[in-house]
Amino acid sequence: MTGTSRSSLPEWMLNPPPPRLTLTQRLTAPVTRTPRWKALQQRWWRWQDRTRLYDRYPTTFKITAFFVSWLLAMVLLSVAYTLFALS
């Protein structure tokens, strides 16, 4: 088949109509068309791509999480003991 041959596809497939807006696109259009939207969107993307602390300092994060968990468990046990002692 050469580039000069005519396609056998119907016209509506060769030149489709533009897509219609969805309900979500219609509802968010006033917000997304504001000038600050693009900058806010780019800041959000950068925030999502940042390196998390637990990725940068895995050992420190695990040790800290251990002690925080231990402290929380002690607080919960103390609260439970106090509640049972009151009754």
Side-chain angles (χ1 to χ4, degrees):
M1 201 177 234
T2 63
T4 58
S5 65
R6 182 114 170 101
S7 175
S8 61
L9 293 174
E11 181 62 28
W12 66 270
M13 290 180 87
L14 292 173
N15 297 316
R20 289 185 284 173
L21 293 178
T22 63
L23 179 63
T24 305
Q25 289 172 329
R26 288 183 191 143
L27 292 175
T28 59
V31 175
T32 57
R33 291 187 180 141
T34 58
R36 301 266 310 156
W37 176 256
K38 198 58 145 176
L40 185 64
Q41 191 177 37
Q42 288 173 350
R43 285 178 61 193
W44 176 253
W45 289 341
R46 273 197 305 274
W47 171 257
Q48 292 298 314
D49 286 339
R50 76 189 192 287
T51 306
R52 309 299 201 274
L53 279 177
Y54 58 81
D55 288 334
R56 283 188 276 169
Y57 309 106
T59 306
T60 305
F61 189 84
K62 289 175 187 174
I63 293 170
T64 305
F66 172 79
F67 285 112
V68 168
S69 303
W70 179 79
L71 181 66
L72 183 62
M74 290 296 110
V75 167
L76 289 174
L77 284 172
S78 299
V79 168
Y81 179 76
T82 305
L83 288 174
F84 281 115
L86 289 175
S87 58

